[in-house]
Amino acid sequence: MKTFTAIVEDSDTKLYVGYVPGFPGAHSQGATLDELQENLREVIEMLLEDEEVMFETEFVGTQQIVIY
């Protein structure tokens, strides 16, 4: 079992857009968060079938930046 962290954004098209940082091609969209998660799962599974998967970066975390 592998776990991937996806960044999820909403867009002006009223769709959720998600991608896995550092994983080229690992992006999708969906009308609901559940649909997006399923679509991302399918894309990631398909990409992992390629034996030459190369991650460009490793996701470390997020930070909140406060500006006064």
Side-chain angles (χ1 to χ4, degrees):
M1 177 173 24
K2 294 182 181 182
T3 301
F4 296 90
T5 300
I7 304 298
V8 178
E9 302 171 341
D10 61 353
S11 68
D12 55 356
T13 61
K14 300 190 186 219
L15 293 173
Y16 292 102
V17 177
Y19 63 94
V20 178
F23 194 165
H27 54 85
S28 192
Q29 62 187 20
T32 66
L33 290 173
D34 288 340
E35 181 180 351
L36 172 62
Q37 184 176 40
E38 182 58 32
N39 292 346
L40 281 171
R41 182 180 294 113
E42 289 175 8
V43 168
I44 291 169
E45 287 174 347
M46 180 185 68
L47 291 169
L48 289 175
E49 289 175 1
D50 181 3
E51 295 178 9
E52 296 182 27
V53 172
M54 303 258 324
F55 292 90
E56 295 175 354
T57 61
E58 180 180 336
F59 182 78
V60 175
T62 61
Q63 293 184 343
Q64 292 185 346
I65 310 301
V66 177
I67 307 296
Y68 296 99

